[in-house]
Amino acid sequence: IEQIRMLLDQSISETRVLIRDLSPQVLYQLGLEAAIDWLAEQTQAKYGLRCMAEVHPLQSPIKEARRIVLFQAAPELLINVAKHARADKARIILQGNKTSVTICVEDNGTGFDSSLLTVPNSTATGFGLFSIRERLAALDGELQIDSAPGQGTKAIITLPAHAA
């Protein structure tokens, strides 16, 4: 019974961390800009990956649902860098104008043939990228991946700022 109790306590603790990471209070209290800075710090601490944030003030307000989708996509991209890219540096850039918001995640890793991402049923496309694309498409946004072997990777999320 004691082992079960310890496992339950551990599961509850890990669930709280996951919930905090998916939707941190900083996103709601201080906005997307502060949340991106926080994300870079957390990525560096958790994965040992030097992660820099370059945050440009957004020129127009973004609806909460859009901020959440943008924020939740960014850590998924950074996790891909940490797991697959064999990179030692990553950069996350947030910028926007009156019509759109862009988050760019780039790394100095090994890169890959990004043309494989357009091949149906390719093993190069994981659930994470598929999930990001689906959530963005529902909001008229897109995910573009630019990479080549030995050249690192750049993932660019673009989302209209004012659409419903």
Side-chain angles (χ1 to χ4, degrees):
I1 290 179
E2 186 59 31
Q3 283 182 318
I4 293 171
R5 188 170 105 68
M6 287 174 38
L7 287 172
L8 281 173
D9 288 345
Q10 181 181 358
S11 296
I12 290 169
S13 177
E14 289 176 13
T15 301
R16 287 180 178 153
V17 169
L18 287 172
I19 290 169
R20 184 205 69 210
D21 288 350
L22 281 175
S23 194
Q25 289 299 311
V26 69
L27 178 62
Y28 298 100
Q29 294 172 354
L30 301 176
L32 184 59
E33 294 96 329
I36 294 297
D37 280 329
W38 175 86
L39 177 60
E41 292 171 10
Q42 293 298 308
T43 300
Q44 189 161 315
K46 188 171 186 175
Y47 298 104
L49 176 69
R50 282 189 300 161
C51 190
M52 303 288 293
E54 184 179 315
V55 176
H56 302 273
L58 299 176
Q59 295 181 14
S60 61
I62 304 168
K63 291 182 179 181
E64 183 175 306
R66 292 178 168 282
R67 284 194 316 266
I68 292 168
V69 167
L70 283 165
F71 181 80
Q72 289 178 344
E76 288 184 53
L77 294 173
L78 287 168
I79 288 169
N80 281 348
V81 172
K83 284 185 174 180
H84 306 296
R86 289 183 253 156
D88 64 352
K89 288 190 290 190
R91 184 166 68 143
I92 182 167
I93 304 161
L94 172 67
Q95 55 192 1
N97 55 40
K98 293 185 186 300
T99 61
S100 66
V101 178
T102 301
I103 293 179
C104 176
V105 173
E106 52 188 33
D107 67 65
N108 68 343
T110 58
F112 62 96
D113 182 356
S114 59
S115 69
L116 294 175
L117 295 176
T118 61
V119 176
N121 300 320
S122 169
T123 57
T125 57
F127 180 73
L129 293 179
F130 172 79
S131 173
I132 292 170
R133 282 196 167 107
E134 289 295 306
R135 286 179 279 155
L136 290 170
L139 298 172
D140 296 323
E142 65 179 4
L143 171 65
Q144 176 185 348
I145 308 283
D146 295 321
S147 187
Q151 301 296 312
T153 301
K154 182 187 285 188
I156 304 165
I157 297 168
T158 306
L159 195 59
H162 294 293

